[in-house]
Amino acid sequence: MEKFARMNRLPPYVFAVVNDLKMRMRRQGEDIIDLGMGNPDIPTPQHIVDKLVEASAKGVNHRYSASKGIHGLRLAIANWYLRRFGVELDHDKEVVVTMGAKEGLAHLAMVMLNPGDVVFATDPAYPIHPFASIIAGADVRRIPIGLDRNFFDDLLLATKQTWPQPKLLILSYPHNPTTAVVDIEFFEKIVDFAKEHNMYVIHDFAYADLGFDGYMPPSFLQARGAKDVGVEFFSLSKSYSMAGWRVGFCCGNPDMVHALTRIKSYLDYGIFQPIQIAATVALNGPQECVKEIVDIYQDRRDALIEGLNRIGWDVPPPKATMFVWAEIPDEFKKMGSVEFSKLLLKEGHTAVSPGLGFGHYGDDRVRFALVENRHRINQAIRGLKKVISG
């Protein structure tokens, strides 16, 4: 790997330690309940699948598509934003379709950033947020987040201590892995801060619909002046359970959208057109399916939280996302999240994600993904009880 400099900037994949152990145990015939990777198990709503099948049968849809996304799909996302958040978007200049949010974010970082540019990302964070910038050659400064911290104090301190001044701030709320949520006032302060310090903002809105107990996640683009400084990524992966379909969007600042659109024109021919047509139906069609999906996640959240508390692992219920971010019980904290995750796997037959994989400030936690049904979650609780309760 010495010949490939960008590979040298990537650390060892922390999750691989647990994944390798999980696969070894499964090959030995062990029944492992996998609450590690956040890979949605809920089937895509049938009317969306039906449209994919119908569109796939038409030969005209088998040709190269448009890398920026077909007109109808870009119009659908603009209308979705208007209905959901009251945000007006020009579907030609302020919307580009991406192959999931991850691809779009990585390519936007590639076109925006130069070696030596400084990027702020949270710690913990979903790995692509810092590493898209690192792969692009930029330097990343991690801003710690947590219940005991003031994000804006930490952000200001980091800005004062950084030279050159940061070019980009990457955020995501509701947050993966911590499940932290914010209000519109938070985003308005972010916009003001970005303008004052001449930086761009990328907001990953992957869990836009996955709010519980009456909480409705706000869009970054709802904040006054948001389009002056940044963009927001949204995908159909979680809201419509279309993770494997790879359909996402970058919306907002026209210069950033244009930059991403242009680099994509060199890199791809767009998503398979029947998938784009089906995604258009998802956004324009009945939305009861989204509520049904959210209700399933909330029911699973309740089952997991009730079960953890029952065995003596006190974890508060998250207000959003498809995850539970659990502090490691005191008697196990010295192990760190990787060894603790291995213990839960070996003794409790339950796979979770070690918090260290999301950043150093996550090493006292593990992340549960709500990707198994209530019966399997209860089975996991029985396994975890052997570890936690002795």
Side-chain angles (χ1 to χ4, degrees), residues 270-288:
I271 303 164
F272 185 44
Q273 193 151 292
I275 291 178
Q276 296 191 59
I277 293 169
T280 305
V281 166
L283 291 166
N284 289 339
Q287 299 299 296
E288 290 82 4

Side-chain angles (χ1 to χ4, degrees), residues 3 28 35 38 41 55 69 88 95-96 128 134 210 227 250 372:
K3 296 180 180 179
Q28 293 167 3
L35 303 178
D41 65 311
E88 294 186 3
V95 177
V96 58
I128 194 62
I134 289 171
L210 269 61
K227 286 197 288 186
C250 177
E372 291 276 11

Side-chain angles (χ1 to χ4, degrees), residues 59-349:
V60 69
N61 291 325
H62 300 171
R63 306 173 68 186
Y64 291 131
S65 188
S67 64
K68 68 183 294 185
I70 61 175
H71 175 270
L73 183 52
R74 286 182 285 110
L75 184 60
I77 190 64
N79 289 334
W80 183 86
Y81 262 96
L82 187 60
R83 290 194 310 271
R84 283 293 309 277
F85 305 109
V87 172
E88 294 186 3
L89 291 170
D90 182 328
H91 66 279
D92 278 327
K93 297 180 180 179
E94 296 177 335
V95 177
V96 58
V97 178
T98 60
M99 296 177 179
K102 200 172 182 181
E103 173 270 321
L105 201 153
H107 283 144
L108 183 54
M110 186 185 298
V111 76
M112 285 182 65
L113 301 172
N114 300 311
D117 283 343
V118 175
V119 175
F120 284 171
T122 62
D123 187 336
Y126 183 55
I128 194 62
H129 295 161
F131 291 113
S133 303
I134 289 171
I135 292 169
D139 297 321
V140 173
R141 176 80 182 271
R142 305 293 290 264
I143 312 296
I145 61 172
L147 295 175
D148 58 339
R149 308 196 70 96
N150 183 303
F151 181 75
F152 287 96
D153 286 349
D154 288 331
L155 185 60
L156 180 60
L157 179 63
T159 303
K160 289 179 177 179
Q161 293 178 339
T162 299
W163 187 261
Q165 287 289 277
K167 184 174 187 177
L168 174 64
L169 170 64
I170 302 177
L171 298 170
S172 180
Y173 291 98
H175 190 261
N176 175 16
T178 71
T179 75
V181 297
V182 297
D183 53 24
I184 192 64
E185 287 76 19
F186 176 92
F187 286 138
E188 288 176 345
K189 289 178 70 174
I190 289 291
V191 171
D192 291 343
F193 191 94
K195 288 184 175 182
E196 180 181 353
H197 296 278
N198 196 32
M199 67 174 72
Y200 293 103
V201 178
I202 292 175
H203 180 241
D204 185 353
F205 203 22
Y207 304 96
D209 290 294
L210 269 61
F212 309 133
D213 305 324
Y215 173 71
M216 299 290 290
S219 163
F220 167 72
L221 298 179
Q222 287 178 280
R224 293 185 303 270
K227 286 197 288 186
D228 296 337
V229 297
V231 294
E232 182 165 77
F233 281 92
F234 171 72
S235 84
L236 279 68
S237 295
K238 312 307 188 301
S239 299
Y240 300 90
S241 209
M242 295 171 64
W245 299 53
R246 310 314 301 136
V247 187
F249 309 89
C250 177
C251 309
N253 182 272
D255 293 332
M256 296 170 74
V257 169
H258 173 72
L260 179 55
T261 302
R262 186 159 186 214
I263 194 172
K264 280 176 62 63
S265 71
Y266 286 91
L267 297 173
D268 70 69
Y269 284 111
I271 303 164
F272 185 44
Q273 193 151 292
I275 291 178
Q276 296 191 59
I277 293 169
T280 305
V281 166
L283 291 166
N284 289 339
Q287 299 299 296
E288 290 82 4
C289 60
V290 177
K291 183 181 185 305
E292 291 171 3
I293 289 169
V294 175
D295 287 345
I296 290 172
Y297 283 124
Q298 181 164 330
D299 181 66
R300 293 176 177 184
R301 177 206 67 169
D302 293 344
L304 181 59
I305 294 296
E306 290 164 7
L308 291 175
N309 289 333
R310 192 166 59 246
I311 65 174
W313 191 348
D314 185 22
V315 180
K319 287 186 176 181
T321 76
M322 54 183 287
F323 305 110
V324 167
W325 184 237
E327 185 173 0
I328 298 173
D330 289 341
E331 60 267 36
F332 300 99
K333 261 190 188 155
K334 63 181 182 295
M335 299 178 69
S337 61
V338 175
E339 290 303 314
F340 181 64
S341 296
K342 289 164 65 176
L343 177 66
L344 295 184
L345 189 52
K346 291 176 181 176
E347 304 297 330
H349 287 192

Side-chain angles (χ1 to χ4, degrees), residues 39-52:
N39 192 0
D41 65 311
I42 303 168
T44 305
Q46 191 60 45
H47 70 283
I48 302 172
V49 177
D50 290 343
K51 177 53 74 169
L52 172 68

